[in-house]
Amino acid sequence: MISSAIFGVFRHKRNGMVDDYARRQMRLIAPHIRRAVLIGRLFEFKAAEVATFVDALDGLGAGMYLVDAAGRLIHANAAGNAILGTSDILSSVGGRLAANDAQVDRALRDVFAAAGQGDAALGNKGIAVPLIGSDGERYVAHALPLTSGARRRAGVVYTAAAALFVRKAALAVSSAPQAIGSAFKLTPTELRVLLAIVEVGGIPEVAIAFGVADTTIRTHVSRLFEKTGTARQADLVKLVAGYATPLTD
């Protein structure tokens, strides 16, 4: 961003040419003008900083909400607004973030209130709450308290008491294959088998899906164990989960 500031002084001709008195007056004013320009630049910097954070949060695949201790909605990212737009699991009621399920809503209210009071029981890692949509789709809401640590030590007044992250309870692997294949030098077939283990199930199910014998899949899985340093199919699932991106696909 490029900005400019212009300050002009006009002198009527009846006052004549600029004299020493006028110069002394301007020397008194000039520091205040410079200070005003610096303050203006500070505001511009903060506005740009906020816009950067908003853009970053809008890139998240999970819905993100900042709420105060009463559950009043302070900010929602793009994915969060999309969830509110469907009114399936969460809604904005009178400016307050509310879960459609009454029991879940009470649980979230308790979490937000506890966060506002700095309740240590929540811990720095927060708490997870399950949500179920009207179509049976499962979601996980993770509430993270924002009134502890550095923010509390700063001693400033804060509004947001908690951040709530909401996403479907599913393993997101759409952007992981290329990174995993490169990291462990997997062949295209080995990578397909690895992803099938995650998405389809065990060796028999993968063999049926691929239309090959169980022994063929077992051979590929053995190679996967060797290349990734794992020993169980559950470890392969964890490995893929570790490469899942939090960003919107």
Side-chain angles (χ1 to χ4, degrees):
M1 177 184 293
I2 299 175
S3 62
S4 61
I6 299 175
F7 174 73
V9 177
F10 299 90
R11 183 180 175 91
H12 198 276
K13 63 181 181 180
R14 67 170 172 265
N15 299 119
M17 299 294 290
V18 174
D19 53 16
D20 290 339
Y21 174 76
R23 294 189 183 93
R24 287 195 300 271
Q25 294 298 103
M26 286 304 302
R27 280 196 292 269
L28 295 175
I29 296 174
H32 298 287
I33 301 301
R34 286 195 294 268
R35 188 176 301 110
V37 171
L38 291 175
I39 292 173
R41 288 178 179 174
L42 179 61
F43 282 127
E44 289 178 356
F45 174 78
K46 287 298 182 183
E49 187 177 41
V50 170
T52 299
F53 280 117
V54 170
D55 285 345
L57 293 175
D58 280 346
L60 294 178
M64 191 283 302
Y65 309 93
L66 296 179
V67 298
D68 67 9
R72 285 186 291 268
L73 188 59
I74 298 168
H75 178 76
N77 68 350
N81 281 320
I83 292 174
L84 292 178
T86 64
S87 298
D88 186 27
I89 55 173
L90 294 174
S91 303
S92 177
V93 181
R96 188 183 71 82
L97 186 66
N100 293 356
D101 183 283
Q103 185 175 352
V104 173
D105 189 57
R106 285 193 296 271
L108 289 179
R109 286 195 188 194
D110 290 342
V111 169
F112 299 153
Q117 297 170 4
D119 192 339
L122 292 179
N124 291 328
K125 294 184 178 180
I127 187 170
V129 179
L131 298 167
I132 301 179
S134 58
D135 58 355
E137 192 79 55
R138 294 183 179 274
Y139 295 78
V140 176
H142 190 93
L144 179 68
L146 299 177
T147 52
S148 59
R151 295 192 69 195
R152 182 168 291 281
R153 290 194 297 272
V156 297
V157 176
Y158 39 77
T159 303
L164 188 71
F165 298 88
V166 181
R167 69 176 304 152
K168 286 185 178 181
L171 183 60
V173 298
S174 59
S175 59
Q178 184 176 358
I180 296 173
S182 299
F184 298 101
K185 297 180 173 56
L186 304 181
T187 67
T189 301
E190 289 167 350
L191 184 56
R192 286 180 59 216
V193 171
L194 173 60
L195 297 179
I197 290 292
V198 173
E199 297 174 351
V200 178
I203 290 175
E205 292 80 7
V206 174
I208 293 173
F210 281 25
V212 299
D214 288 10
T215 53
T216 301
I217 301 301
R218 290 185 189 280
T219 299
H220 288 304
V221 170
S222 296
R223 290 173 183 167
L224 287 172
F225 288 156
E226 182 179 350
K227 288 186 176 182
T228 61
T230 57
R232 301 179 305 159
Q233 293 178 36
D235 295 332
L236 293 176
V237 175
K238 291 179 181 179
L239 183 147
V240 174
Y243 277 81
T245 177
L247 303 180
T248 303
D249 294 328

